Each structure stands twice: as structure tokens, then as C-alpha cells.
Amino acid sequence: MEESRERDVALTAARDAGKLIRDNVNQSKRVSTKTSESDLVTDIDKRAEALIRNHILQAFPDHNILGEESVEPGTEGLTHALAETQEARHSWIIDPIDGTTNFVHGFPFFCVSIALAERGELKLGVVYDPIRDEWFVAEKGKGATLNGEPIRVSQEKALSESLLASGFPAVARGRSKKDNGFFDLRREVRNIRTAGSAAMLLAYVAAGRLSGFWEIDLNVWDVAAGVLLVEEAGGRVSDTLGRPYDLSVRHILATNGLIHDHTVNALKKTGTTGFE
């Protein structure tokens, strides 16, 4: 079946990219910046994306591919690439290393993220952690798994009992009003974690390790696979104002569903939606 073949290609591509990343995590890397000093890219990012592209195009030469390292930095490049992705019959959305800054510093929290969408609707998501050898896989309507075992979101119903996660956008140095809101929100929940990989944190929401995750100014390749994981594990995904998710959403909220509306209200109250 075509769906089985797509899944196999995604898993093979993620496995080979993961091996490349794992083999080079403690090696010297050629590092350059994109939009800021905290928005990094390495030679391994580029090699891993090329490897994934090769796997996909060998199997599906007519499929569209949206990869982080193939999009020109800036709003114009992203808008054009996203329009093509939403219109394409089949479009792969890949982040060869989600958590590049962690990878550069040897902080072991990064992953390969591969998603497949049909005319803008997510149907397959794979997040592979090559350090822990953890495979998070979701298929539309078939649930989500971790290393082949079904996973479900957590069951916290109150923010005061919830562990949330977030991240800071790759912007110029200096504290903003949004940063202050982050610390205001800390008072509403059990605690907040930041770890530098949106795809991994979304996978952790799907696996019940986190109650929820939000972040502003993300790109579609950061979250596409993780979004499907959360939804297929029984959670809920929206923008930070609570509106339905689509591939154009950049200010994202994903939770176990039980705390979703409470979290939206808390984000609005503390000024951390990104829409202020």
C-alpha cells in the first residue's frame, strides 16, 4: 500500500539522517548563522537534509519537499514555500536537525523531524531522537506510538498540576515584554521547561511527559510532525489564541486537551500569545 511505503521511506530517511547526526555530535562542525546569532546552521544540517531528500525523491520523484535548509531566510521565502506546500498533492515537511543550537553545543536534545501532508492536511509524522533511539510515529487516524507502543497524552486537568514547556525565538539579544510574561505564566503552572527543540517537546506532550507546549514564531518544519503526534495521541493543537491549527500557524499551543482552554486564557492574561 502507498501509505505503508510512505511510512517506510520516512523511517529509513530518519534512521540514516539520525546516524549521520549521532556520528558527528562530538565532532567539529562548520557553523554559520541565518537570521541571528542564535539561529544556527551546520554542515551536518545540510548533509542530513540532502540525505532525506534523496530517500524521498528516489521513492516519490513527483512529491513536493519543504525543508528548513532549502528555504531562504525571511518572511518572503517562507510564504512562497508554504503556499506551494499547502497546494501540493503530496508535500514532505522536514527539519533535518530540530535543535541545531543544542547539537552545536553537544547538548543531547535534538531530533530529526519528517512529516507528510496531502493538500495541507497532515497524514504522517516521524520524530526521531538519535541519542536515545526513540521513535515517535503518528499516522492520521491510526494513533501515535513510541518505539512501536501506543502513547497517550497526560491527564492533568488543572494548570497548577501541569508541567508546560516553551522556547525562546531566535532573535537579537535583549529582554522583551514577552519574556516578562513568560515568568508571569510560571506562577500559574507547576513548572515550565525549555529545552530547545519544538519537535521533541511536542513529541513529549504526545507521550504524556509534558502537559502542554507553546511557543511563538515557529516555522512549519519545526512543528508539523509533532502536531500530528499530539493529535493522534488524544491531545489538542491550536494557535495561542485557541484557533484551529493549520500549516501557516507560527504561534502554537499543544496540550493534553484537558487544560487547553485554561492555557489559552493564561497566555492571554500574561501577554504571551505572540499576538500582543
Side-chain angles (χ1 to χ4, degrees):
M1 293 177 59
E2 188 77 353
E3 291 181 356
S4 176
R5 187 164 170 245
E6 291 165 347
R7 183 179 185 274
D8 288 345
V9 168
L11 293 176
T12 300
R15 180 199 66 205
D16 290 354
K19 183 180 185 303
L20 173 67
I21 293 163
R22 186 171 57 248
D23 289 348
N24 285 275
V25 67
N26 294 317
Q27 308 299 318
S28 61
K29 310 166 186 75
R30 292 194 299 274
V31 181
S32 56
T33 61
K34 293 189 282 187
T35 60
S36 73
E37 290 183 5
S38 57
D39 189 8
L40 306 179
V41 61
T42 72
D43 55 320
I44 306 302
D45 290 81
K46 296 175 181 178
R47 288 172 58 190
E49 179 165 319
L51 186 156
I52 295 169
R53 282 177 169 273
N54 185 58
H55 275 292
I56 293 170
L57 292 176
Q58 280 189 348
F60 308 106
D62 59 335
H63 284 196
N64 181 64
I65 299 177
L66 172 59
E68 178 178 10
E69 307 313 329
S70 60
V71 177
E72 289 295 323
T75 303
E76 185 176 345
L78 176 61
T79 300
H80 177 73
L82 189 57
E84 287 186 344
T85 299
Q86 291 174 316
E87 294 173 2
R89 178 74 174 86
H90 298 92
S91 193
W92 295 83
I93 306 167
I94 58 178
D95 192 342
I97 307 179
D98 187 66
T100 297
T101 298
N102 290 344
F103 175 67
V104 167
H105 288 272
F107 183 77
F109 198 83
F110 43 80
C111 65
V112 181
S113 178
I114 301 175
L116 175 62
E118 285 190 359
R119 301 201 187 283
E121 181 180 4
L122 294 167
K123 62 176 293 188
L124 172 67
V126 174
V127 171
Y128 176 48
D129 176 353
I131 300 301
R132 297 166 189 81
D133 197 28
E134 289 192 326
W135 291 88
F136 300 87
V137 180
E139 294 179 85
K140 185 71 174 179
K142 296 182 180 180
T145 62
L146 168 55
N147 291 347
E149 296 297 323
I151 53 176
R152 297 292 294 176
V153 293
S154 68
Q155 295 301 302
E156 293 85 18
K157 296 180 180 179
L159 282 182
S160 60
E161 300 172 348
S162 298
L163 180 63
L164 300 188
S166 188
F168 298 102
V171 295
R173 291 183 175 86
R175 190 165 181 175
S176 71
K177 183 178 179 180
K178 295 174 186 176
D179 296 332
N180 295 332
F182 181 96
F183 292 103
D184 290 338
L185 182 61
R186 165 66 185 88
R187 302 186 184 100
E188 305 280 334
V189 300
R190 177 162 285 167
N191 218 318
I192 299 174
R193 299 288 181 259
T194 61
S197 170
M200 284 270 282
L201 292 173
L202 285 164
Y204 278 26
V205 174
R209 297 173 179 176
L210 293 167
S211 314
F213 165 79
W214 94 97
E215 192 168 340
I216 66 172
D217 290 333
L218 290 173
N219 293 304
V220 62
W221 49 76
D222 300 313
V223 301
V227 165
L228 189 61
L229 280 163
V230 172
E231 292 178 340
E232 288 297 313
R236 180 178 167 190
V237 184
S238 71
D239 73 5
T240 51
L241 294 177
R243 298 174 297 194
Y245 175 83
D246 63 52
L247 297 183
S248 67
V249 167
R250 300 197 65 190
H251 306 335
I252 193 170
L253 170 64
T255 73
N256 63 8
L258 301 173
I259 63 165
H260 202 90
D261 291 335
H262 298 307
T263 309
V264 169
N265 291 335
L267 293 175
K268 291 177 181 178
K269 176 183 174 183
T270 57
T272 48
T273 66
F275 290 101
E276 294 80 14

